[in-house]
Amino acid sequence: MSKKAIFSTAAMIFILFIPLSLAGLRAASGNRLPAKSADIDKEALKKAQEQKVVRAIKLTEPIKLDGLLEEEVWKNNPPANDFLQRDPVDGAPATEKTEAWVAYDEANLYVAAYCHDSDPKGMVGLLGRRDSFVDSDWFFFAVDPYFDRRSGFLFGVNPAGSIVDEVLFNDVSEDATWDGIWEAKVTRVADGWTLEMKIPFNQLRFPRKDSYTWGVNFQRTIKRKQEKLAFAWVPKEDSAYVSRFARLEGIENISPGRRVELYPYSVGQAQFRPAEPGNPFETGHKYLGNVGFDLKVGLKSNLNLDISINPDFGQVEVDPAVINLSAYETYYQEKRPFFIEGASMFNHFGRGGVYINANINWPNPRFFYSRRIGRSPQGYPVHEGYVNFPDRSTILGAFKLTGKVGSGWNVGFISAVTAREYATVDDLEERYRDEVEPLSYYGVLRAQKEIKDGQQGIGFMATTVVRDLDNDILSTILNRRAFSLAMDGWSFLDKKRTWVIGGWLGGTFVQGSQEDIYRLQQSSMHYFQRPDATHVSLNPEATSLNGWAGQFKLARQQGHHLFMLSAGALSPGFDPNDVGFQSSGSDLVDVMGLYGYQWTKPGKVFRQWTAIVGGSVQYDFGGNRTFNCLAADFQGSLNNWWNFEYTLIYVPEALSNRLTRGGPLALVPHGVIHQLFLNSDSRKPVVLQGNFSYEWAHRDSSEWMADFSVRWKPRTNLSLSVGPMIGFSKNETQWVKKVSDPLMTETFGVRYVFGRIDQKIVASEIRINWIFTPTLSLQAYLQPFVAVGKYDRFKQLNRPRAYDYLVFGEGESTISEEDGSYLVDPDGDGPAASFYINNPDFNYKSMRGTVVLRWEYRPGSLLYLVWTQNRADFSYPGQLSLWRDLGNLFTAPGDNIFLVKFSYRFNL
């Protein structure tokens, strides 16, 4: 895999967010078209949608939640039944009848639906774990209780009784991490299926009033036809969703209720790994236990407070194995429930209003990356001996406040304290406790205000990290304080919201000891030591570092024609990484332009397609062009319901200020990138998916990678997916090391050493989902991973700004292998000193797996049984022999962890 600064991040990201590809309308069909799309007057239909009203009925008798629709309220009141297609023919009438009702009492909202079907045997009802959008028929109820035309909630159920729910925000965005406490029952009938939902008002956020007008939508998926229906229909070419909801009227004299929920938990863990003779910490087994509780409190009808005391912040599913040869850290998804629930409030900073999310080679900095909280300790022990090192920092306590306050301000606040952590060192004579992580405080504040029903918006985010550094070693490698403050906003430029301008601007401030800030200036995020840079320089006496960043976009995102122009910059001192994340270095000015055209009418070959062309150019603050490209992307859906996307990027030669890792500029040759994605018809028992890429840089590197996935659904409650991946790459300029040599005047007294790496990766991801009931499931995950790298053709950069290298062993230079290292004499009999290169070859083999039994034995109360295993082997570096390596992997000693977690929900 290419590890160049350009090619490692140059993959184009085209996420054209067409709003009704939301959860409720995710499937789509292969039937004959019931109407010609050319016959549909979409403008007339859009005007008709504006007049739609649903009347909520006040209950006079209790509802027996059984999905049978036997109550009089469902029989005697007219339903909402005017549904339109989004697929297969956008705007055509539904081919099957759907009826929906809304009722309420003092404490709950009730939704009922009758999903008629002319072929009941053809209905698809797959069992899925909660929030799993399985390939099934679905019915969705979406509601906007604030009636702000920007936010809301979505609840879904399928014919098997599986449920999903989401928070809706930014008009077209959704967050499936939210889990409300609500119920749904379904029943199959002779001509379809029926359902009832019961949603407590205290699960919804809305201000107290005498009477209410809310936004509402009903949606249905008929999987065998790939037919997607909506009561409040929006054309495919329009970027809108919540803002087009129908009105829900008739709700009055209710109380939002006070939500107080207590979740005590207990967890027990047994760890088994091979004993290590003489090591007092590796006896072969370890037993751990913990107790704590979470408290969820509705402070007002529109504010929620989450408090965790001695929280269990371990994650159930393991992180995937990766090989990272770059200078930057790997980004991992958050998997801890406390942080993923409601994360959209923090994660979508800077994206309000602009629904087209497209970037080319932009680092996309995040001001908040929740995995910083409770991360692995960053220090190291000072004593020698056997070490017992903590795998993560203990979170002593945390609380989170989310909701709305004042006149339309959305707020979110997270506060957490992590403990001081120690590594225990035993030299068989004495035992030591060396501090490896200080006591730390993390704070994140996010607020956003929508103006004129979302026509404009403004917000800000502030973060704080404060560490109690009373350890001399830790004070040289960790920042004592880190702060950030940023603002974001948007404004639609017309009433139809076709054109929008949006963006963000912020800054960071880091404070620490002189040694720490000197280290930070030389880190891969900054490289202030670059000898040919005129706009940055090292300051060994500095005790702080600050910087600014921003990005602004102008976009056309309605209709067939799409357009985006963006400009962004990251100043050399910008650094959000204490509590945020940035995928590559700062010191960047970026300009990007894209034009796209989307066609939504089915034709002879395509059901819909989008074509995009554009380009990007980037400079550092010294005026050096570090990247530019021309790109084209074509994506669509075929009439057989296969989906595809092909991307072509041409990258001209440019100067890299990252390749020499703090050294002078180096030339990166021109190249091309090809990417192809394919996905088969999801209605079939076997679903195929493939990702293919080829990257090439003139004289320098090439990479080919194929990533497949085969998903088999043999039964309605069982699915198996196997995803093999294979990759081959060669890179002539893979970083190795640097060696000081005053004779190298061309490269400022340093030899920058690279090697050719021949890398091969073979891996697979295997998943089994066995769903017994909507509340009881067994899931298994296994990832065998083999990555082999062989280095040769070691070389040095001869001069900056050129692709000019001396390959050791050519000319007067010599190279020889000695005891696992290479001895290099760069000029033979000349005056230059010889130096060693440690053999960097590797053969990393990993097997990671987990089995999880999850039982929600009552709403909100959970039991987990988990088995996790990790194996690793490093034998035969630089040599790939697949069957030998797999054999060594399967016979390697493994770490086994067995975990039991029990939690109970008390509704107070």
Side-chain angles (χ1 to χ4, degrees):
M1 301 169 68
S2 299
K3 296 298 179 289
K4 284 291 186 54
I6 287 181
F7 280 89
S8 62
T9 54
M12 179 171 291
I13 303 172
F14 280 126
I15 307 175
L16 295 182
F17 202 93
I18 308 302
L20 286 186
S21 62
L22 283 164
L25 296 176
R26 285 185 177 164
S29 153
N31 277 24
R32 294 291 181 183
L33 305 184
K36 293 182 178 180
S37 54
D39 298 335
I40 299 171
D41 186 348
K42 290 190 175 182
E43 290 301 319
L45 289 176
K46 286 169 65 173
K47 291 181 180 180
Q49 302 303 302
E50 299 173 1
Q51 309 303 318
K52 285 189 172 181
V53 177
V54 176
R55 189 76 184 175
I57 306 107
K58 180 65 179 289
L59 289 174
T60 58
E61 61 176 348
I63 296 289
K64 181 182 179 182
L65 201 71
D66 52 17
L68 294 176
L69 308 192
E70 294 179 334
E71 288 79 11
E72 293 299 320
V73 65
W74 313 134
K75 296 178 180 179
N76 297 333
N77 291 282
N81 56 15
D82 182 15
F83 285 72
L84 296 177
Q85 295 183 36
R86 187 168 183 267
D87 271 316
V89 181
D90 195 21
T95 64
E96 305 287 354
K97 184 179 180 181
T98 306
E99 299 174 298
W101 298 264
V102 177
Y104 69 98
D105 58 21
E106 293 181 355
N108 303 288
L109 192 68
Y110 297 88
V111 179
Y114 197 139
C115 299
H116 297 264
D117 201 306
S118 58
D119 182 14
K121 292 183 179 180
M123 294 188 308
V124 182
L126 301 186
L127 277 169
R129 184 172 166 175
R130 180 167 185 169
D131 287 337
S132 178
F133 288 89
V134 292
D135 301 323
S136 172
D137 287 25
W138 285 97
F139 180 85
F140 298 91
F141 166 70
V143 62
D144 171 14
Y146 273 108
F147 203 50
D148 58 9
R149 300 294 192 178
R150 297 277 301 169
S151 63
F153 302 86
L154 182 139
F155 305 87
V157 63
N158 74 2
S162 300
I163 65 170
V164 296
D165 51 17
E166 295 181 331
V167 170
L168 308 175
F169 64 99
N170 195 28
D171 192 5
V172 299
S173 302
E174 71 245 18
D175 179 7
T177 62
W178 176 74
D179 284 333
I181 305 300
W182 59 285
E183 300 176 72
K185 297 293 182 181
V186 299
T187 299
R188 289 184 181 241
V189 294
D191 62 339
W193 60 290
T194 57
L195 64 100
E196 290 175 317
M197 298 178 180
K198 178 183 177 182
I199 304 168
F201 284 127
N202 63 14
Q203 297 297 306
L204 307 177
R205 296 173 179 171
F206 56 92
R208 188 186 300 270
K209 297 180 180 178
D210 293 332
S211 62
Y212 299 87
T213 298
W214 293 352
V216 67
N217 197 6
F218 308 104
Q219 300 161 212
R220 181 185 176 187
T221 296
I222 307 171
K223 187 61 183 177
R224 75 176 184 279
K225 301 181 179 183
Q226 294 285 46
E227 187 170 334
K228 297 185 288 188
L229 309 172
F231 178 74
W233 169 80
V234 180
K236 287 184 179 181
E237 58 268 21
D238 285 7
S239 293
Y241 181 58
V242 179
S243 59
R244 305 285 182 87
F245 279 8
R247 296 193 306 277
L248 177 64
E249 299 178 349
I251 299 177
E252 55 187 24
N253 300 322
I254 63 167
S255 172
R258 176 63 63 89
R259 180 188 181 192
V260 181
E261 299 169 359
L262 180 66
Y263 294 82
Y265 85 90
S266 63
V267 62
Q269 188 178 104
Q271 301 178 2
F272 301 97
R273 65 179 63 184
E276 183 179 336
N279 188 340
F281 304 119
E282 293 296 347
T283 61
H285 55 81
K286 186 184 295 185
Y287 303 99
L288 303 170
N290 203 2
V291 295
F293 69 85
D294 296 339
L295 179 66
K296 298 179 182 290
V297 180
L299 299 181
K300 289 187 176 182
S301 60
N302 50 4
L303 273 179
N304 283 337
L305 174 66
D306 293 66
I307 301 175
S308 290
I309 303 299
N310 194 28
D312 171 41
F313 281 134
Q315 63 185 54
V316 171
E317 187 171 337
V318 296
D319 291 319
V322 296
I323 284 290
N324 184 355
L325 302 181
S326 74
Y328 303 97
E329 64 180 314
T330 300
Y331 180 86
Y332 291 105
Q333 294 291 332
E334 179 61 83
K335 299 177 181 179
R336 299 170 295 179
F338 178 87
F339 291 110
I340 63 176
E341 185 173 346
S344 59
M345 179 67 188
F346 305 93
N347 293 344
H348 286 74
F349 173 84
R351 289 176 54 183
V354 182
Y355 307 144
I356 300 177
N357 180 28
N359 293 298
I360 304 176
N361 204 38
W362 171 253
N364 198 27
R366 293 170 176 257
F367 284 91
F368 177 50
Y369 177 43
S370 57
R371 289 191 63 148
R372 300 292 187 208
I373 304 176
R375 69 189 300 181
S376 299
Q378 303 300 291
Y380 53 88
V382 296
H383 294 91
E384 295 185 356
Y386 293 106
V387 179
N388 183 24
F389 199 91
D391 61 351
R392 62 177 181 263
S393 302
T394 302
I395 301 178
L396 299 175
F399 78 83
K400 178 171 58 179
L401 181 69
T402 57
K404 286 200 175 187
V405 297
S407 56
W409 281 94
N410 296 285
V411 298
F413 180 54
I414 292 177
S415 182
V417 177
T418 60
R420 199 180 303 274
E421 297 290 346
Y422 296 87
T424 306
V425 183
D426 194 317
D427 63 5
L428 302 183
E429 293 183 356
E430 194 169 348
R431 184 165 286 193
Y432 310 92
R433 294 182 75 232
D434 294 341
E435 185 180 348
V436 291
E437 184 74 16
L439 179 72
S440 303
Y441 169 79
Y442 297 84
V444 183
L445 174 63
R446 170 70 166 134
Q448 185 182 70
K449 179 178 175 59
E450 295 163 355
I451 305 167
K452 295 182 180 179
D453 294 329
Q455 191 72 13
Q456 292 92 31
I458 190 170
F460 71 88
M461 176 178 280
T463 68
T464 301
V465 180
V466 178
R467 299 183 175 96
D468 183 18
L469 291 173
D470 56 6
N471 179 290
D472 291 339
I473 294 178
L474 291 180
S475 66
T476 65
I477 62 174
L478 292 175
N479 304 324
R480 184 175 297 275
R481 300 178 186 87
F483 307 97
S484 73
L485 177 63
M487 298 184 63
D488 67 335
W490 74 89
S491 177
F492 290 102
L493 303 181
D494 58 305
K495 292 183 178 180
K496 292 184 177 181
R497 301 187 177 183
T498 300
W499 287 89
V500 63
I501 186 171
W504 60 272
L505 180 66
T508 60
F509 177 81
V510 176
Q511 190 177 52
S513 66
Q514 289 186 358
E515 297 84 355
D516 169 55
I517 300 301
Y518 191 64
R519 170 202 61 82
L520 185 63
Q521 293 176 81
Q522 299 178 79
S523 70
S524 59
M525 192 59 56
H526 306 288
Y527 287 145
F528 279 10
Q529 70 272 33
R530 285 171 278 167
D532 57 348
T534 59
H535 59 290
V536 293
S537 61
L538 284 171
N539 181 358
E541 298 181 355
T543 57
S544 64
L545 182 67
N546 59 76
W548 61 269
Q551 187 181 42
F552 297 91
K553 297 181 178 181
L554 171 67
R556 188 187 197 279
Q557 54 191 21
Q558 303 273 22
H560 294 291
H561 297 274
L562 305 172
F563 172 79
M564 171 175 283
L565 178 65
S566 72
L570 309 172
S571 79
F574 180 74
D575 193 332
N577 282 336
D578 280 88
V579 72
F581 183 90
Q582 188 172 305
S583 59
S584 62
S586 296
D587 192 7
L588 174 67
V589 178
D590 172 82
V591 178
M592 182 192 72
L594 298 173
Y595 168 77
Y597 185 83
Q598 57 178 344
W599 185 258
T600 60
K601 296 179 180 179
K604 293 182 179 180
V605 179
F606 303 104
R607 291 196 173 274
Q608 61 185 48
W609 56 266
T610 302
I612 307 165
V613 294
S616 171
V617 62
Q618 294 178 347
Y619 293 85
D620 65 17
F621 275 62
N624 302 294
R625 180 168 56 81
T626 57
F627 175 83
N628 67 297
C629 77
L630 297 174
D633 183 88
F634 185 59
Q635 55 186 273
S637 177
L638 302 174
N639 281 328
N640 63 358
W641 295 104
W642 281 60
N643 300 308
F644 70 92
E645 180 175 8
Y646 171 70
T647 303
L648 171 64
I649 306 176
Y650 171 69
V651 183
E653 67 177 31
L655 296 173
S656 171
N657 55 12
R658 307 291 168 184
L659 184 64
T660 56
R661 303 196 179 187
L665 293 165
L667 183 71
V668 177
H670 69 272
V672 294
I673 302 173
H674 301 269
Q675 296 175 329
L676 176 65
F677 166 80
L678 295 172
N679 190 62
S680 70
D681 186 348
S682 61
R683 297 170 299 171
K684 304 298 184 181
V686 177
V687 181
L688 306 177
Q689 181 175 305
N691 289 281
F692 310 91
S693 67
Y694 175 72
E695 303 181 12
W696 170 84
H698 179 59
R699 297 186 296 167
D700 186 72
S701 63
S702 64
E703 174 186 340
W704 179 88
M705 180 167 289
D707 186 354
F708 303 92
S709 175
V710 180
R711 182 160 51 93
W712 180 38
K713 300 170 284 186
R715 300 175 57 183
T716 58
N717 69 331
L718 180 64
S719 68
L720 169 67
S721 65
V722 179
M725 186 268 282
I726 185 168
F728 302 96
S729 67
K730 286 188 177 181
N731 182 1
E732 286 284 349
T733 51
Q734 174 61 51
W735 170 262
V736 175
K737 65 182 298 185
K738 63 181 179 179
V739 179
S740 296
D741 188 338
L743 298 177
M744 288 296 296
T745 56
E746 283 274 10
T747 53
F748 305 92
V750 177
R751 296 185 187 273
Y752 296 94
V753 181
F754 303 84
R756 178 175 68 179
I757 181 174
D758 184 352
Q759 185 175 352
K760 301 176 178 68
I761 294 178
V762 180
S764 182
E765 288 194 353
I766 303 168
R767 294 181 183 271
I768 299 175
N769 294 302
W770 193 357
I771 313 300
F772 306 106
T773 73
T775 58
L776 178 62
S777 63
L778 179 70
Q779 295 182 304
Y781 168 80
L782 183 67
Q783 187 207 29
F785 182 89
V786 179
V788 178
K790 174 67 176 177
Y791 285 78
D792 62 5
R793 286 178 54 83
F794 294 97
K795 56 181 70 70
Q796 70 181 28
L797 179 68
N798 282 335
R799 54 193 176 93
R801 295 174 174 263
Y803 193 83
D804 184 3
Y805 294 87
L806 169 65
V807 178
F808 299 132
E810 297 180 359
E812 300 297 325
S813 66
T814 63
I815 183 170
S816 59
E817 191 170 359
E818 296 184 4
D819 299 325
S821 298
Y822 294 94
L823 176 62
V824 177
D825 187 337
D827 63 354
D829 295 332
S834 300
F835 59 91
Y836 283 94
I837 299 174
N838 292 327
N839 191 338
D841 294 350
F842 60 87
N843 186 332
Y844 173 63
K845 300 174 285 291
S846 167
M847 179 80 76
R848 300 186 178 190
T850 184
V851 179
V852 180
L853 178 71
R854 179 186 185 273
W855 180 29
E856 188 173 3
Y857 55 92
R858 65 188 305 270
S861 301
L862 295 168
L863 173 67
Y864 283 101
L865 302 177
V866 183
W867 171 36
T868 299
Q869 185 181 89
N870 294 309
R871 296 174 181 266
D873 182 79
F874 305 92
S875 58
Y876 300 100
Q879 305 174 36
L880 175 64
S881 177
L882 185 60
W883 297 114
R884 179 203 65 201
D885 290 339
L886 288 176
N888 291 341
L889 177 57
F890 279 99
T891 57
D895 300 342
N896 291 277
I897 300 175
F898 298 90
L899 179 145
V900 178
K901 181 179 178 180
F902 173 85
S903 66
Y904 190 89
R905 172 181 176 264
F906 290 95
N907 187 11
L908 308 178

mmCIF file of all heavy atoms in Angstrom, residues 504-525:
data_model
loop_
_atom_site.group_PDB
_atom_site.id
_atom_site.type_symbol
_atom_site.label_atom_id
_atom_site.label_comp_id
_atom_site.label_asym_id
_atom_site.label_seq_id
_atom_site.Cartn_x
_atom_site.Cartn_y
_atom_site.Cartn_z
ATOM 1 N N TRP A 504 -16.509 26.959 8.725
ATOM 2 C CA TRP A 504 -16.095 27.044 10.124
ATOM 3 C C TRP A 504 -14.735 27.730 10.211
ATOM 4 O O TRP A 504 -13.976 27.770 9.249
ATOM 5 C CB TRP A 504 -16.029 25.662 10.762
ATOM 6 C CG TRP A 504 -15.058 24.721 10.089
ATOM 7 C CD1 TRP A 504 -15.321 23.901 9.039
ATOM 8 C CD2 TRP A 504 -13.674 24.529 10.418
ATOM 9 N NE1 TRP A 504 -14.191 23.205 8.687
ATOM 10 C CE2 TRP A 504 -13.170 23.562 9.515
ATOM 11 C CE3 TRP A 504 -12.825 25.071 11.373
ATOM 12 C CZ2 TRP A 504 -11.841 23.134 9.557
ATOM 13 C CZ3 TRP A 504 -11.491 24.649 11.414
ATOM 14 C CH2 TRP A 504 -11.025 23.677 10.518
ATOM 15 N N LEU A 505 -14.439 28.262 11.383
ATOM 16 C CA LEU A 505 -13.173 28.940 11.643
ATOM 17 C C LEU A 505 -12.851 28.755 13.112
ATOM 18 O O LEU A 505 -13.711 28.967 13.973
ATOM 19 C CB LEU A 505 -13.270 30.427 11.304
ATOM 20 C CG LEU A 505 -12.006 31.276 11.529
ATOM 21 C CD1 LEU A 505 -10.904 30.845 10.577
ATOM 22 C CD2 LEU A 505 -12.322 32.762 11.355
ATOM 23 N N GLY A 506 -11.619 28.326 13.399
ATOM 24 C CA GLY A 506 -11.272 28.088 14.793
ATOM 25 C C GLY A 506 -9.783 28.145 15.037
ATOM 26 O O GLY A 506 -8.967 28.300 14.114
ATOM 27 N N GLY A 507 -9.432 28.002 16.303
ATOM 28 C CA GLY A 507 -8.030 28.049 16.686
ATOM 29 C C GLY A 507 -7.735 27.098 17.819
ATOM 30 O O GLY A 507 -8.637 26.633 18.536
ATOM 31 N N THR A 508 -6.459 26.775 17.992
ATOM 32 C CA THR A 508 -6.008 25.904 19.080
ATOM 33 C C THR A 508 -4.878 26.588 19.831
ATOM 34 O O THR A 508 -4.102 27.362 19.256
ATOM 35 C CB THR A 508 -5.519 24.539 18.553
ATOM 36 O OG1 THR A 508 -4.407 24.746 17.644
ATOM 37 C CG2 THR A 508 -6.637 23.823 17.829
ATOM 38 N N PHE A 509 -4.772 26.281 21.117
ATOM 39 C CA PHE A 509 -3.714 26.816 21.968
ATOM 40 C C PHE A 509 -3.228 25.694 22.863
ATOM 41 O O PHE A 509 -4.024 25.064 23.569
ATOM 42 C CB PHE A 509 -4.224 27.986 22.800
ATOM 43 C CG PHE A 509 -3.203 28.537 23.768
ATOM 44 C CD1 PHE A 509 -2.222 29.421 23.326
ATOM 45 C CD2 PHE A 509 -3.205 28.157 25.101
ATOM 46 C CE1 PHE A 509 -1.278 29.926 24.203
ATOM 47 C CE2 PHE A 509 -2.266 28.661 25.992
ATOM 48 C CZ PHE A 509 -1.295 29.548 25.540
ATOM 49 N N VAL A 510 -1.931 25.420 22.812
ATOM 50 C CA VAL A 510 -1.328 24.330 23.576
ATOM 51 C C VAL A 510 -0.238 24.912 24.455
ATOM 52 O O VAL A 510 0.566 25.745 24.006
ATOM 53 C CB VAL A 510 -0.743 23.259 22.635
ATOM 54 C CG1 VAL A 510 -0.032 22.175 23.435
ATOM 55 C CG2 VAL A 510 -1.828 22.650 21.780
ATOM 56 N N GLN A 511 -0.173 24.448 25.706
ATOM 57 C CA GLN A 511 0.809 24.954 26.659
ATOM 58 C C GLN A 511 1.502 23.785 27.343
ATOM 59 O O GLN A 511 0.873 22.769 27.665
ATOM 60 C CB GLN A 511 0.123 25.853 27.688
ATOM 61 C CG GLN A 511 1.065 26.625 28.588
ATOM 62 C CD GLN A 511 0.304 27.539 29.533
ATOM 63 O OE1 GLN A 511 -0.601 27.105 30.233
ATOM 64 N NE2 GLN A 511 0.670 28.818 29.537
ATOM 65 N N GLY A 512 2.807 23.911 27.543
ATOM 66 C CA GLY A 512 3.557 22.857 28.211
ATOM 67 C C GLY A 512 4.949 23.333 28.553
ATOM 68 O O GLY A 512 5.280 24.522 28.438
ATOM 69 N N SER A 513 5.791 22.397 28.939
ATOM 70 C CA SER A 513 7.168 22.734 29.270
ATOM 71 C C SER A 513 7.942 23.050 27.992
ATOM 72 O O SER A 513 7.493 22.765 26.882
ATOM 73 C CB SER A 513 7.833 21.563 30.002
ATOM 74 O OG SER A 513 7.953 20.446 29.131
ATOM 75 N N GLN A 514 9.140 23.633 28.144
ATOM 76 C CA GLN A 514 9.956 23.927 26.971
ATOM 77 C C GLN A 514 10.296 22.653 26.210
ATOM 78 O O GLN A 514 10.262 22.625 24.978
ATOM 79 C CB GLN A 514 11.239 24.644 27.395
ATOM 80 C CG GLN A 514 11.026 26.068 27.865
ATOM 81 C CD GLN A 514 12.341 26.788 28.150
ATOM 82 O OE1 GLN A 514 13.419 26.198 28.034
ATOM 83 N NE2 GLN A 514 12.258 28.058 28.530
ATOM 84 N N GLU A 515 10.619 21.585 26.941
ATOM 85 C CA GLU A 515 10.963 20.324 26.282
ATOM 86 C C GLU A 515 9.766 19.758 25.516
ATOM 87 O O GLU A 515 9.909 19.226 24.403
ATOM 88 C CB GLU A 515 11.460 19.304 27.306
ATOM 89 C CG GLU A 515 12.725 19.671 28.028
ATOM 90 C CD GLU A 515 12.478 20.573 29.235
ATOM 91 O OE1 GLU A 515 11.304 20.991 29.435
ATOM 92 O OE2 GLU A 515 13.428 20.853 29.969
ATOM 93 N N ASP A 516 8.589 19.878 26.088
ATOM 94 C CA ASP A 516 7.383 19.344 25.448
ATOM 95 C C ASP A 516 7.040 20.125 24.182
ATOM 96 O O ASP A 516 6.773 19.532 23.131
ATOM 97 C CB ASP A 516 6.218 19.402 26.435
ATOM 98 C CG ASP A 516 4.888 19.126 25.763
ATOM 99 O OD1 ASP A 516 4.768 18.070 25.117
ATOM 100 O OD2 ASP A 516 3.977 19.968 25.873
ATOM 101 N N ILE A 517 7.062 21.444 24.251
ATOM 102 C CA ILE A 517 6.698 22.244 23.075
ATOM 103 C C ILE A 517 7.765 22.118 21.995
ATOM 104 O O ILE A 517 7.442 22.111 20.791
ATOM 105 C CB ILE A 517 6.474 23.718 23.466
ATOM 106 C CG1 ILE A 517 5.326 23.807 24.497
ATOM 107 C CG2 ILE A 517 6.151 24.551 22.249
ATOM 108 C CD1 ILE A 517 4.000 23.253 23.997
ATOM 109 N N TYR A 518 9.023 21.966 22.382
ATOM 110 C CA TYR A 518 10.082 21.736 21.402
ATOM 111 C C TYR A 518 9.849 20.409 20.674
ATOM 112 O O TYR A 518 10.015 20.309 19.452
ATOM 113 C CB TYR A 518 11.433 21.737 22.108
ATOM 114 C CG TYR A 518 12.621 21.766 21.171
ATOM 115 C CD1 TYR A 518 12.857 22.853 20.343
ATOM 116 C CD2 TYR A 518 13.522 20.705 21.146
ATOM 117 C CE1 TYR A 518 13.952 22.890 19.490
ATOM 118 C CE2 TYR A 518 14.623 20.726 20.302
ATOM 119 C CZ TYR A 518 14.838 21.821 19.479
ATOM 120 O OH TYR A 518 15.923 21.838 18.626
ATOM 121 N N ARG A 519 9.444 19.386 21.436
ATOM 122 C CA ARG A 519 9.087 18.094 20.829
ATOM 123 C C ARG A 519 7.899 18.255 19.894
ATOM 124 O O ARG A 519 7.891 17.714 18.770
ATOM 125 C CB ARG A 519 8.759 17.087 21.941
ATOM 126 C CG ARG A 519 8.147 15.781 21.448
ATOM 127 C CD ARG A 519 7.376 15.080 22.545
ATOM 128 N NE ARG A 519 6.270 15.872 23.054
ATOM 129 C CZ ARG A 519 5.083 15.954 22.481
ATOM 130 N NH1 ARG A 519 4.837 15.286 21.350
ATOM 131 N NH2 ARG A 519 4.138 16.711 23.003
ATOM 132 N N LEU A 520 6.890 18.994 20.334
ATOM 133 C CA LEU A 520 5.685 19.158 19.547
ATOM 134 C C LEU A 520 5.959 19.879 18.228
ATOM 135 O O LEU A 520 5.404 19.520 17.181
ATOM 136 C CB LEU A 520 4.641 19.929 20.364
ATOM 137 C CG LEU A 520 3.259 20.094 19.739
ATOM 138 C CD1 LEU A 520 2.584 18.734 19.545
ATOM 139 C CD2 LEU A 520 2.372 20.996 20.608
ATOM 140 N N GLN A 521 6.832 20.885 18.255
ATOM 141 C CA GLN A 521 7.166 21.608 17.024
ATOM 142 C C GLN A 521 7.802 20.687 15.980
ATOM 143 O O GLN A 521 7.658 20.912 14.778
ATOM 144 C CB GLN A 521 8.125 22.749 17.334
ATOM 145 C CG GLN A 521 7.522 23.871 18.167
ATOM 146 C CD GLN A 521 8.566 24.917 18.507
ATOM 147 O OE1 GLN A 521 8.887 25.782 17.691
ATOM 148 N NE2 GLN A 521 9.122 24.832 19.708
ATOM 149 N N GLN A 522 8.486 19.639 16.436
ATOM 150 C CA GLN A 522 9.174 18.730 15.520
ATOM 151 C C GLN A 522 8.344 17.496 15.168
ATOM 152 O O GLN A 522 8.795 16.657 14.395
ATOM 153 C CB GLN A 522 10.496 18.272 16.143
ATOM 154 C CG GLN A 522 11.463 19.413 16.426
ATOM 155 C CD GLN A 522 12.726 18.933 17.091
ATOM 156 O OE1 GLN A 522 13.623 18.405 16.445
ATOM 157 N NE2 GLN A 522 12.793 19.092 18.406
ATOM 158 N N SER A 523 7.140 17.399 15.713
ATOM 159 C CA SER A 523 6.297 16.235 15.455
ATOM 160 C C SER A 523 5.768 16.262 14.034
ATOM 161 O O SER A 523 5.841 17.279 13.330
ATOM 162 C CB SER A 523 5.131 16.202 16.450
ATOM 163 O OG SER A 523 4.215 17.256 16.182
ATOM 164 N N SER A 524 5.203 15.150 13.590
ATOM 165 C CA SER A 524 4.706 15.036 12.219
ATOM 166 C C SER A 524 3.550 15.989 11.938
ATOM 167 O O SER A 524 3.240 16.252 10.769
ATOM 168 C CB SER A 524 4.262 13.597 11.949
ATOM 169 O OG SER A 524 3.233 13.206 12.851
ATOM 170 N N MET A 525 2.922 16.521 12.944
ATOM 171 C CA MET A 525 1.839 17.473 12.724
ATOM 172 C C MET A 525 2.378 18.842 12.288
ATOM 173 O O MET A 525 1.645 19.626 11.681
ATOM 174 C CB MET A 525 1.013 17.618 14.009
ATOM 175 C CG MET A 525 -0.303 18.350 13.853
ATOM 176 S SD MET A 525 -1.439 17.587 12.674
ATOM 177 C CE MET A 525 -1.561 15.935 13.338
#
